[in-house]
Amino acid sequence: MATPYIMPYEQWLVRMEESQLMASPAELHGLVSGLLSAGVQAEQKQILPVLYDFLNDSQAVPVAVQKQIVELIEKTAEQLQHSDYAFALLLPSDDDSLIERLEAVVEWCQAFLVGFAVLQTDLSLVPEDIREAIDQLTEITRLDVHSSSDFSEQENEESYYLVLEHIRILALNCFHEVGLKYQQGAAPKKTLH
């Protein structure tokens, strides 16, 4: 399956390792998606300082990878806003083992929750369905990816894709119910640090 982002997961992995960043591509994309879904503007000055905290101990990242991260932010924002629900998670390819893909899904969800919590610190202020979405994403982070399964490989693959689709819909709901409204003036703009 081709990635809708500027580079496939494996290239992101190499680029981030070369830059000695302390996160996986799944965590990077989960964090970006969570920040946008919470209402952070897809602007460099708004989002990059948070990413630097997470990725590089508050230090700026090398210019080459920063440019690609900015493109990833823009592409993710575009996908979240698109009416055809084109949003896709940045995860390992189908050629990677199911365990590797599940580990990346867990990392993506954990980072999404961190990103969402940067701006949405009081979940009592968000709609009930969004609180439920956050609870469901939290449950996914508790997934034991190394437990043995009584299901066939095909059943496990089908379950994986069902979970992915569910996560995608949860993230889109968070963006449309909270992020868009917050970005459109439901709260004053402030710089995140």
Side-chain angles (χ1 to χ4, degrees):
M1 180 167 84
T3 181
Y5 296 103
I6 58 171
M7 298 187 286
Y9 188 89
E10 290 73 19
Q11 285 181 327
W12 273 106
L13 195 59
V14 169
R15 184 60 52 93
M16 291 175 73
E17 285 175 358
E18 288 172 349
S19 300
Q20 299 179 338
L21 301 181
M22 302 180 294
S24 71
E27 290 171 309
L28 168 63
H29 188 249
L31 184 64
V32 167
S33 301
L35 288 165
L36 295 171
S37 295
V40 176
Q41 299 285 333
E43 299 169 0
Q44 290 184 44
K45 64 181 175 162
Q46 290 275 316
I47 207 165
L48 285 179
V50 180
L51 294 180
Y52 294 161
D53 284 347
F54 188 76
L55 296 171
N56 206 26
D57 203 21
S58 300
Q59 302 298 311
V61 299
V63 173
V65 77
Q66 178 182 319
K67 181 179 181 278
Q68 291 168 329
I69 290 172
V70 168
E71 289 178 33
L72 179 68
I73 294 165
E74 291 167 354
K75 185 68 172 176
T76 303
E78 177 186 311
Q79 285 185 359
L80 284 166
Q81 292 177 32
H82 210 274
S83 61
D84 71 355
Y85 297 100
F87 176 69
L89 282 62
L90 180 58
L91 297 171
S93 76
D94 295 345
D95 296 333
D96 290 305
S97 74
L98 183 59
I99 288 178
E100 288 176 276
R101 290 180 281 149
L102 286 171
E103 286 173 342
V105 165
V106 169
E107 290 174 350
W108 191 97
C109 291
Q110 289 169 334
F112 180 93
L113 293 168
V114 168
F116 195 80
V118 166
L119 203 56
Q120 299 301 328
T121 56
D122 185 353
L123 291 181
S124 69
L125 302 176
V126 300
E128 174 69 24
D129 61 327
I130 300 306
R131 287 194 299 275
E132 289 174 11
I134 297 300
D135 288 345
Q136 290 175 33
L137 288 167
T138 302
E139 281 301 312
I140 292 168
T141 67
R142 296 183 184 123
L143 185 69
D144 181 4
V145 299
H146 297 287
S147 68
S148 60
S149 170
D150 294 333
F151 301 108
S152 71
E153 186 175 330
Q154 181 179 350
E155 289 170 318
N156 286 336
E157 288 290 330
E158 289 171 4
S159 296
Y160 171 77
Y161 288 107
L162 288 173
V163 169
L164 274 192
E165 181 62 13
H166 188 64
I167 293 167
R168 197 176 73 80
I169 297 302
L170 292 173
L172 282 165
N173 286 344
C174 288
F175 177 78
H176 287 279
E177 290 292 317
V178 178
L180 267 184
K181 292 175 183 169
Y182 207 89
Q183 288 176 11
Q184 294 169 348
K189 282 187 177 181
K190 62 182 177 182
T191 304
L192 301 173
H193 288 285

